[in-house]
Structure formats: structure tokens, C-alpha cells
């Protein structure tokens, strides 16, 4: 593009962002509407209303009324009441009062451009006869919670009786604020349209019932600190707010609460389940839900509104020269800021929105990380969890394109957990809650040397300790110029002797693979390197000998002691990080496990020179993978020793399950 083309495109985007919108006439609505001729003017009604009357009425309402002896005023009153039930935007503009962002003045609720985008997605599910199931990833000052709650009220007022709802937050105060919006709506709702009020339900301060005719809709609130509200058996709608902030309580996790809610909501038209939150890092419940929805696995519609589609984040330029300077940076980006501006432009931002972004950052002295967190341009940067990321988010996003569900979940066992019999009759045992996840089974038919690497990162034994992780790297495609694939993850808390056997069992299972245990425990439990290595050697080496040795062979011949395992310390750890960073950047390996990418996204540079995980996250799978990749760089490239040269076929399930 050239400067005039960018200016022209920018004018188009501005026109769209500030497009004319009149909910009273229906002009500018995001939902399908049809034109109604009122004689001297027009209105636009939702398509769902059209079948209620003959087309001739809509084509010429005054003429049709006169022809049938019906006063036009009477017909307009009938249409108005129909619109309350079927035209959400009209009802909001006529009947719903909210406070402005300052929290003082009351005003009728007129949907902003960004809210209309959200409403269109929710309304389509409802009008298509589907349950409304959505995830809303929020930027600041978006107003998404307001829209969601008022949409649910509309369904209770006009569409469904006995349609109970739940508002659930991390803290009860969050849920009360949202329900307070409901209370205010009832207080100011026009009595000639519907006279409504709340009263306590069965004496409960947390549960209210809607007093209007026979609607009998109960509205409950709950929180992670007191999650009993999620146990109701007749919830039809649920608004789960600030999900990323939910903290695990005694005997209750965010996953548990959400599952309890989902179990009560039927899969029918009018049912609503909406989770909304800002992003609070990666690898947590909210991030996992979001990624699942993006992959189309959960049935939820993932909705994200970038900062540049929120009208208030917009600054006019002081001069044409200032505008053209920004355009020239977009056309030929040199600085990091210009590259970011180009990224925003390519995603659909106006020049004025980009101008606001940099002006806001400068005035408030915000860091890049804070701007990305509070005013993200896409969902990926929204989930950034660390101001000093160890890995570029673009690198991790490249790795995520291969993430997928494992083909097997369970465990691997022999005839005994320890000793010689641990390697007899090795077999897989399926269990949906198992510690072992496999994407590809071992290939038993193709004879390849140096093909599989089995790495092991040592964690603790207690539930609150770091995880112990075992990974398998398949290096087959390196023979043809390809890259290795991480095809297995084992995650557990085990005694170290049992863990050593588990790693050796997996190595045996994968064609007697090279077993690379970590040779120290990072002082996780004040266990010395010698203690751990002695455990591995004493317990496993007599029965499985293909264990990685880091001592130079020449020094061994000269009498130096053999040192087994990969030693991770302050000197080797940066090298491990550099290795996996390059692999992410250059797409030099294939990662199927989403958790590894989550850990990488949360991995940070601390105090300028140390590496570590963001609070509440782990790095165990990341480090086990880095060890495997580092060793892969050291040992010879795999080679075939099968003269038949049978082409390898991946084994996903089947006969490879038993050795």
C-alpha cells in the first residue's frame, strides 16, 4: 500500500467505527432487519417480527391500516410492545437505565459499537435456536458484563418463565455489583411496559425472585469463597465473571465449579452460559478454556474485542504531518514501535486508535507489557503474563499450531513397579485421569538407531512440589532433513526410585531409547546430585543400561569416573533456554503438548539475569523438553540399520502397546 491508499482505508475504518446507530429506528443495528414504510419515514425491525403480519402491512403501514379501518396509532402501540420482546436494542434504549462510566448519571442503555459486536454474536445463537455459550475476553472499559447481564434479564422478562440465573465471581462482591445493575434496571423500568421488582427468595439475601406475574425467575449469586450457589439443580442461565481470577478453595477448583454449573444447564434454546474475564496469564483454567474454544473443541464461541474497536480509545491527530509520520512508519517500519503500529494496522485499527495507544502509553508511562495486558490488540498478547518474557510470544504461537489432544491417556506398567520384573510384559493401561499422555506410539517395525530420546526432569514427591516430568522425542524425520517431534508426556509426583523406573520403562517401551535423567534436583528437596544419581544407578542400571553419560569417552578410558544424566545448574540452564528458544523461533521441533507452550508463555527473566516461572505456574515440562532437545543436538543423527529400508509408518494406536 501507499500513503493515499492507507488514508482512504483509514477513512473507511473510521466510518465503520463511528457508523450511524439509532436503536429507536433500528438503523445501524448489527442483526438482520427489514424495512417498514411508515409513510413519511421508515423503521427497521428484526427479521423475527416479519412473519407476524402480512408483507403489505410492512410495505405501507399507514395505507394498510386505513384500508382495514385500524388507527395507525393503535397499530404502532402494538408494534412497540412486540419490539420490547423481540428487539433487544429498542428495549434497552427505551426501558433500561444504567450509570455512566463515572458512576453518577443515569442514562438509557444505547449499545456502543464494540457492544454491538458482542450482542450480534449472542443474538445469532439465540435466534438460531441454540443455547448461548460464549467466552468473552475483555479489554478495559468494554462494558461486556453490562451487556451480558441485561441480555439475560431480557430473556427472563419476555421469553421464559421459571428461567433461573446465576451470577458467579471470584469474590461475592463482584457478583453483587453485577446483580446491583439488575436491581437498578428494575427500579427504573417503565411500569406501563412491565412492573417488576425483587424480593428475597425463601429468606435468602443471596437469592432474589423476580416479582412480575407468573415469571418466577430466581436470581442467585455465588463466589469461589462460597461456591454453594453453583449447586442449584434448575439453573438455566449462568454469568461467570472474572474467571481468570478464580482461586482454588478447599476441595473446590475453578474446573469443579464450572463443571457443576454446566451439569445443571440444559442444552436448549434460551439456555445461557457465558464466561468473561480479562486475561491473567497462561496455563490457567481461563487460558485453557479459551484455547479449547478457539480450536472448536468446547462448543463455546470465543469472543475478543481489541482495544481499537472500543470508541473511547481514539485520538485525532494534531496535524496532517503527525498523521503522515505514523503512516510512513507503517509503510517502512524500522523501530519496535513502528512494527507494533504496523501490526495494529494489519489487524484493522484506525490510525487514530494507534495514535491513542502510543499517547496513552507515553502519558501514563506504561510498560509494553502493561499496555498489552490492559489494551491488547489480539487475544495472544492479552494472555501475556510476564513483563520480562523469556520467549517471544510470536515464537510460542508458531509452536501452538501443532498442539492437539493426545491419542492415549493412562499409564505404563510392567509385572512389578521395581526390579527386573518392572521391564517384563510392559503394557499400557488406559485411564482418562492418567499421568501418561501419548501422541504417537513407538514404531516397532522400522529399525532406526538413535531415534528416540527419553528425558526426565526431577520434581518433588508432595502435591505442592514441582512436578516430575518425562518426555519422549522422536528424531526419525531428521534423517530426511526434518525436525524431531515431542510425542509423549508423563507428569506425576513419585518417589525418585519409582520415577527412575518409570522413565526406564518408557525408554524400554520406545525401542530401548536413550534415557536422559536429570542428574540433580535443583535443590528442590535438598537432595544432593550424588544421592539422586546413586538411586538411579543402584535401582535401574542393572536392568536398563542405555542411560545418557555426560563424561567424555576419552576421559573414561583414562580412568575418570562415569557421570550419568544431564546436569542442570546455573551454567547449563541458560544454554537449555537458548536451545529451546531457537527451536521455537526456527520451528526446529514439533510440539503437540499445549502445556509446554503454556509454560513457555509464562516463563520469565527475573532480576535481569535469572530464569523462572511466573507465580502460580511451572516450568517442569518446558525443562524436560529443553533437555531432550539439547541432547538431540549432541548425539548422532538417527540412521537406519535395516537393509529392507521399510518406510516408517506412524503408530497412533495398536500393536505397539505391548512389548
Amino acid at each position: 500500500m501507499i500513503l493515499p491508499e492507507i488514508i482512504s482505508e483509514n477513512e473507511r475504518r473510521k466510518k465503520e467505527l463511528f457508523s450511524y446507530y439509532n436503536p429507536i429506528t433500528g438503523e445501524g443495528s448489527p442483526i438482520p432487519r427489514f424495512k417498514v414504510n411508515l409513510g413519511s419515514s421508515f423503521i427497521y425491525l428484526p427479521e423475527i417480527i416479519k412473519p407476524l403480519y402480512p408483507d403489505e402491512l410492512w410495505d405501507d403501514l399507514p395505507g394498510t391500516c386505513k384500508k382495514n379501518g385500524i388507527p395507525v396509532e393503535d397499530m404502532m402501540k402494538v408494534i412497540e410492545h412486540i419490539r420490547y420482546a423481540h428487539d433487544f436494542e429498542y428495549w434497552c434504549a427505551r426501558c433500561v437505565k444504567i450509570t455512566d462510566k463515572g458512576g453518577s448519571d443515569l442514562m438509557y442503555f444505547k449499545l456502543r459499537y464494540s457492544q454491538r459486536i458482542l450482542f450480534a454474536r449472542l443474538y445469532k445463537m439465540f435466534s438460531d435456536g441454540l443455547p448461548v455459550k460464549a467466552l468473552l475476553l475483555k479489554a478495559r472499559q468494554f462494558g461486556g458484563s453490562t451487556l451480558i447481564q441485561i441480555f439475560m434479564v431480557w430473556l427472563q422478562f419476555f421469553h421464559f418463565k421459571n428461567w433461573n440465573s446465576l451470577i458467579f465471581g471470584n469474590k461475592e462482591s463482584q457478583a453483587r455489583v453485577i446483580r446491583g445493575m439488575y436491581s437498578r434496571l428494575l427500579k427504573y423500568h417503565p411500569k406501563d411496559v412491565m412492573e417488576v421488582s425483587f424480593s428475597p427468595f425463601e429468606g435468602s439475601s443471596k437469592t432474589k425472585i423476580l416479582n412480575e406475574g407468573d415469571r418466577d425467575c430466581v436470581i442467585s449469586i455465588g463466589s469461589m469463597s462460597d461456591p454453594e450457589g453453583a449447586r442449584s439443580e434448575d439453573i438455566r442461565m449462568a454469568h461467570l465473571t472474572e474467571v481468570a481470577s478464580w482461586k482454588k478453595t478447599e476441595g473446590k477448583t475453578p474446573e469443579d465449579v464450572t463443571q457443576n454449573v454446566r451439569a445443571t444447564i440444559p442444552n436448549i434454546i434460551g439456555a445461557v452460559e457465558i464466561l468473561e474475564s480479562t486475561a491473567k496469564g497462561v496455563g490457567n483454567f481461563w487460558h485453557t478454556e479459551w484455547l479449547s474454544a478457539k480450536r472448536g473443541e468446547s462448543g463455546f464461541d470465543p469472543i475478543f474485542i481489541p482495544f481499537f474497536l472500543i470508541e473511547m480509545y481514539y485520538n485525532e491527530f494534531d496535524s496532517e504531518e503527525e498523521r503522515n509520520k505514523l503512516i510512513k512508519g507503517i509503510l517502512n517500519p524500522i523501530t519496535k514501535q513502528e512494527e507494533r503500529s504496523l501490526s495494529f494496522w494489519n489487524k484493522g485499527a484506525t490510525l487514530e486508535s494507534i495514535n491513542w495507544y502510543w499517547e496513552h502509553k507515553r502519558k501514563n508511562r506504561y510498560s509494553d507489557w502493561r499496555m498489552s495486558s490492559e489494551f491488547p490488540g489480539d487475544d495472544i498478547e492479552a494472555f501475556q503474563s510476564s513483563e520480562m518474557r523469556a520467549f517471544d510470544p510470536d515464537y510460542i504461537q508458531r509452536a501452538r499450531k501443532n498442539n492437539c489432544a493426545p491419542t492415549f491417556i493412562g499409564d505404563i506398567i510392567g509385572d512389578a513397579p521395581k526390579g527386573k520384573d518392572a521391564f517384563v510384559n510392559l503394557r499400557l493401561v488406559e485411564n482418562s485421569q492418567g499421568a501418561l499422555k501419548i501422541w504417537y506410539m513407538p514404531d516397532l517395525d522400522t529399525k532406526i538407531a538413535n531415534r528416540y530420546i527419553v528425558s526426565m526432569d526431577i520434581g518433588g514427591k508432595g502435591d505442592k512440589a514441582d512436578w516430575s516430568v518425562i518426555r519422549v522425542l522422536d528424531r526419525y524425520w531428521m534423517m530426511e532433513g526434518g525436525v524431531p517431534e515431542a510425542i509423549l508426556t508423563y507428569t506425576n509426583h513419585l518417589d525418585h526410585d519409582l520415577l527412575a523406573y518409570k522413565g526406564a520403562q518408557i525408554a524400554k517401551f520406545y525401542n530401548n531409547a536413550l534415557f536422559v535423567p536429570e542428574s540433580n534436583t535443583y535443590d528442590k528437596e535438598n537432595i544432593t546430585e550424588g544421592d539422586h544419581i546413586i538411586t538411579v544407578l543402584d535401582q535401574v542400571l542393572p536392568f536398563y543400561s542405555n542411560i545418557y553419560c555426560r563424561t567424555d569417552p576419552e576421559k573414561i578410558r583414562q580412568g575418570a569416573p562415569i557421570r550419568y544424566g544431564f546436569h542442570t545448574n546455573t551454567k547449563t540452564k541458560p544454554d537449555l533456554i537458548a536451545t529451546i528458544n531457537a527451536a521455537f523461533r526456527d520451528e526446529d521441533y514439533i510440539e503437540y503438548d499445549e502445556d509446554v507452550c503454556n509454560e513457555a508463555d509464562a516463563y520469565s527473566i527475573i532480576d535481569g539475569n535469572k530464569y523462572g516461572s511466573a507465580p502460580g505456574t511451572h516450568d517442569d515440562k518446558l525443562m524436560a523438553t529443553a533437555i531432550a532437545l539439547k541432547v538431540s543436538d549432541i548425539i548422532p543423527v538417527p540412521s537406519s540399520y535395516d537393509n529392507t529400508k521399510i518406510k516408517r509408518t506412524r503408530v497412533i494406536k495398536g500393536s505397539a502397546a505391548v512389548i
Side-chain angles (χ1 to χ4, degrees):
M1 298 183 76
I2 59 177
L3 190 145
E5 291 176 342
I6 287 184
I7 293 174
S8 176
E9 171 61 19
N10 190 59
E11 290 302 312
R12 187 197 66 77
R13 294 180 185 183
K14 287 163 59 177
K15 185 177 180 180
E16 175 67 22
L17 182 62
F18 297 101
S19 56
Y20 180 71
Y21 176 62
N22 186 340
I24 304 302
T25 64
E27 294 172 274
S29 170
I31 69 173
R33 291 177 179 266
F34 69 98
K35 192 174 184 179
V36 179
N37 184 359
L38 301 181
S40 60
S41 63
F42 297 91
I43 60 173
Y44 298 83
L45 302 182
E47 287 281 359
I48 196 171
I49 294 177
K50 191 172 185 179
L52 299 179
Y53 292 97
D55 288 346
E56 64 176 346
L57 176 69
W58 309 126
D59 294 339
D60 182 8
L61 190 142
T64 303
C65 287
K66 182 177 180 180
K67 177 181 175 181
N68 291 277
I70 302 172
V72 173
E73 295 78 7
D74 291 351
M75 190 68 221
M76 290 302 295
K77 288 181 180 179
V78 171
I79 291 175
E80 181 176 26
H81 281 275
I82 291 173
R83 288 187 75 179
Y84 291 140
H86 297 289
D87 192 341
F88 173 79
E89 298 161 89
Y90 180 78
W91 171 69
C92 288
R94 285 290 197 199
C95 304
V96 177
K97 285 195 172 182
I98 62 170
T99 58
D100 63 10
K101 284 298 178 183
S104 55
D105 297 332
L106 284 171
M107 62 181 66
Y108 284 108
F109 183 36
K110 179 181 177 181
L111 276 64
R112 299 195 298 272
Y113 178 77
S114 50
Q115 291 172 320
R116 299 199 295 273
I117 296 173
L118 172 59
F119 166 65
R121 302 271 283 267
L122 304 183
Y123 181 81
K124 186 177 190 311
M125 287 182 267
F126 175 62
S127 61
D128 287 347
L130 302 172
V132 178
K133 302 174 69 174
L135 307 182
L136 174 63
L137 181 59
K138 304 190 304 183
R140 290 190 61 187
Q141 304 296 317
F142 168 47
S145 295
T146 299
L147 176 64
I148 291 167
Q149 192 56 44
I150 293 175
F151 182 76
M152 290 168 59
V153 173
W154 181 62
L155 296 180
Q156 290 177 319
F157 274 19
F158 300 107
H159 291 274
F160 303 98
K161 298 177 181 179
N162 302 304
W163 217 247
N164 301 336
S165 64
L166 169 68
I167 307 167
F168 197 94
N170 184 47
K171 298 178 180 178
E172 190 173 297
S173 58
Q174 294 172 335
R176 287 190 181 277
V177 168
I178 294 175
R179 193 176 66 183
M181 185 192 314
Y182 200 147
S183 300
R184 186 184 308 111
L185 187 157
L186 299 184
K187 180 179 179 180
Y188 293 102
H189 196 270
K191 292 180 171 52
D192 60 326
V193 176
M194 182 181 292
E195 188 169 358
V196 283
S197 63
F198 270 160
S199 64
F201 180 67
E202 297 182 350
S204 172
S205 62
K206 295 184 180 181
T207 308
K208 306 289 186 180
I209 187 167
L210 183 61
N211 299 320
E212 193 284 320
D214 57 352
R215 305 219 67 79
D216 293 331
C217 295
V218 175
I219 298 90
S220 304
I221 62 173
S223 66
M224 283 300 296
S225 58
D226 184 13
E228 293 305 309
R231 296 183 181 275
S232 173
E233 296 181 357
D234 57 356
I235 297 172
R236 294 295 178 267
M237 300 190 296
H239 178 187
L240 311 183
T241 182
E242 288 302 336
V243 177
S245 299
W246 289 9
K247 305 298 183 184
K248 181 179 179 180
T249 60
E250 188 66 32
K252 188 68 64 177
T253 66
E255 291 84 352
D256 294 333
V257 170
T258 307
Q259 187 58 43
N260 287 343
V261 171
R262 287 175 180 169
T264 69
I265 301 177
N267 195 42
I268 57 176
I269 182 175
V272 175
E273 185 183 351
I274 301 177
L275 287 70
E276 51 91 359
S277 183
T278 51
K280 300 285 186 182
V282 300
N284 53 32
F285 166 70
W286 177 231
H287 185 234
T288 301
E289 286 283 306
W290 180 261
L291 293 179
S292 178
K294 280 188 68 176
R295 291 194 298 265
E297 297 172 353
S298 67
F300 282 76
D301 184 12
I303 303 172
F304 169 74
I305 309 296
F307 78 91
F308 51 78
L309 294 184
I310 301 174
E311 303 94 309
M312 69 180 73
Y313 302 144
Y314 181 96
N315 267 1
E316 293 284 359
F317 291 96
D318 292 334
S319 66
E320 186 175 301
E321 289 75 18
E322 185 181 337
R323 181 202 63 187
N324 291 346
K325 181 181 178 182
L326 175 60
I327 295 175
K328 290 176 182 178
I330 289 173
L331 290 172
N332 184 30
I334 298 174
T335 67
K336 183 178 179 180
Q337 178 171 321
E338 289 170 343
E339 290 175 349
R340 289 281 287 157
S341 296
L342 174 60
S343 175
F344 291 146
W345 173 259
N346 288 337
K347 291 168 185 173
T350 65
L351 296 174
E352 287 74 13
S353 296
I354 299 172
N355 186 40
W356 172 89
Y357 186 92
W358 297 117
E359 184 68 10
H360 187 78
K361 181 178 188 294
R362 183 187 66 79
K363 284 183 177 179
N364 293 280
R365 299 181 180 179
Y366 281 178
S367 65
D368 291 338
W369 169 79
R370 184 165 182 180
M371 289 298 293
S372 294
S373 298
E374 296 188 3
F375 308 104
D378 59 35
D379 62 312
I380 296 168
E381 66 172 293
F383 280 104
Q384 289 187 113
S385 60
S386 168
E387 185 164 5
M388 295 295 294
R389 295 173 58 98
F391 304 106
D392 189 307
D394 289 341
Y395 301 169
I396 310 307
Q397 191 61 21
R398 294 173 198 170
R400 285 190 185 280
K401 68 183 181 182
N402 295 303
N403 293 171
C404 59
T407 59
F408 173 87
I409 301 177
D411 202 354
I412 183 170
I413 62 172
D415 283 352
K418 296 177 59 176
K420 181 179 180 181
D421 288 344
F423 302 95
V424 176
N425 193 26
L426 278 178
R427 57 200 181 274
L428 299 179
V429 179
E430 200 159 8
N431 176 0
S432 62
Q433 303 300 314
L436 179 67
K437 296 180 179 179
I438 298 177
W439 282 262
Y440 290 103
M441 297 290 180
D443 177 6
L444 304 182
D445 298 324
T446 312
K447 307 299 183 183
I448 303 293
N450 300 312
R451 174 170 179 176
Y452 295 110
I453 293 175
V454 177
S455 61
M456 184 169 72
D457 179 74
I458 312 298
K461 294 177 286 187
D463 290 342
K464 295 183 179 180
D466 289 336
W467 293 99
S468 291
V469 175
I470 301 168
R471 301 226 67 199
V472 173
L473 198 68
D474 184 354
R475 307 170 73 233
Y476 176 88
W477 296 110
M478 295 173 67
M479 295 190 301
E480 301 181 13
V483 299
E485 303 169 271
I487 60 172
L488 177 149
T489 304
Y490 178 88
T491 311
N492 211 341
H493 294 296
L494 284 180
D495 289 346
H496 290 162
D497 57 339
L498 297 178
L499 178 67
Y501 272 102
K502 189 67 67 174
Q505 285 176 321
I506 292 172
K508 177 72 175 178
F509 188 65
Y510 276 85
N511 297 357
N512 296 304
L514 177 65
F515 179 30
V516 188
E518 182 187 24
S519 70
N520 62 315
T521 59
Y522 300 85
D523 292 325
K524 291 172 184 174
E525 294 180 323
N526 296 318
I527 298 174
T528 66
E529 174 188 349
D531 288 336
H532 174 58
I533 284 299
I534 290 172
T535 298
V536 173
L537 296 182
D538 284 353
Q539 296 287 332
V540 176
L541 192 57
F543 310 110
Y544 192 82
S545 59
N546 192 15
I547 299 178
Y548 176 76
C549 170
R550 66 180 185 275
T551 308
D552 184 276
E554 181 59 33
K555 291 184 178 180
I556 294 176
R557 285 191 290 270
Q558 295 172 5
I562 299 175
R563 296 184 180 275
Y564 287 96
F566 190 95
H567 190 258
T568 307
N569 53 46
T570 55
K571 293 182 179 180
T572 60
K573 193 170 184 178
D575 189 31
L576 288 177
I577 301 304
T579 297
I580 196 167
N581 179 71
F584 284 140
R585 182 194 65 218
D586 301 332
E587 300 182 72
D588 275 347
Y589 93 108
I590 293 175
E591 182 55 72
Y592 297 114
D593 193 337
E594 175 182 292
D595 288 345
V596 176
C597 295
N598 291 342
E599 290 186 358
D601 259 331
Y603 207 60
S604 307
I605 301 172
I606 302 171
D607 297 330
N609 60 358
K610 297 179 182 178
Y611 291 104
S613 301
T617 64
H618 295 273
D619 67 354
D620 316 299
K621 295 177 183 178
L622 181 71
M623 295 310 300
T625 309
I627 290 171
L629 290 171
K630 183 61 183 178
V631 172
S632 180
D633 287 345
I634 297 171
I635 67 174
V637 173
S639 59
S640 173
Y641 56 89
D642 183 353
N643 292 330
T644 62
K645 296 183 179 179
I646 299 174
K647 192 71 175 178
R648 174 243 198 176
T649 301
R650 278 178 168 156
V651 180
I652 298 177
K653 295 180 180 179
S655 60
V658 177
I659 293 182

